[in-house]
Amino acid sequence: MKNCTRWLILLVGLLICNAIVWYALGGHPQHWDSAIHLSESLNANRIGEDSTASIFKQTLSVSWYYPPLVSYVSIIFYRILGESTFAGFQVMTFFMVLLLLSIYGIARRLYDERVGLLSALLISAYPIII
């Protein structure tokens, strides 16, 4: 395994651990967009529970504003971890890791592994990620 790949794995592992510890210490971003995304993910997880509306209508009404991909992905996490804010929070951690790996892959392809690692490191230092 190359040295840059080890550093990337270490960075991703550190960010995942950081997200779990931050949650455990009470860092629940339940305001503005975070609260909307959480409620929409709960709506997605509860598709099929309302017997008065069709499954099709329930599926289409998960989100009134945002594209519902994140909400639909959250169903997997709710099934594994149970319906909780922790499960909803791990969906965001999943997409954060996906962002880092994508940035690394694009920069590595355009330049080299060192630039890919630097790009992933810079993205992980953005205030919205921290």
Side-chain angles (χ1 to χ4, degrees), residues 10-11 53 66 88 93 107 122:
L10 180 66
L11 176 64
Y66 293 105
T93 304
L122 288 173

Side-chain angles (χ1 to χ4, degrees), residues 57-74:
K57 183 176 180 179
Q58 291 177 47
T59 304
L60 290 179
S61 63
V62 163
S63 176
W64 58 271
Y65 182 74
Y66 293 105
L69 175 65
V70 173
S71 299
Y72 294 140
V73 169
S74 69

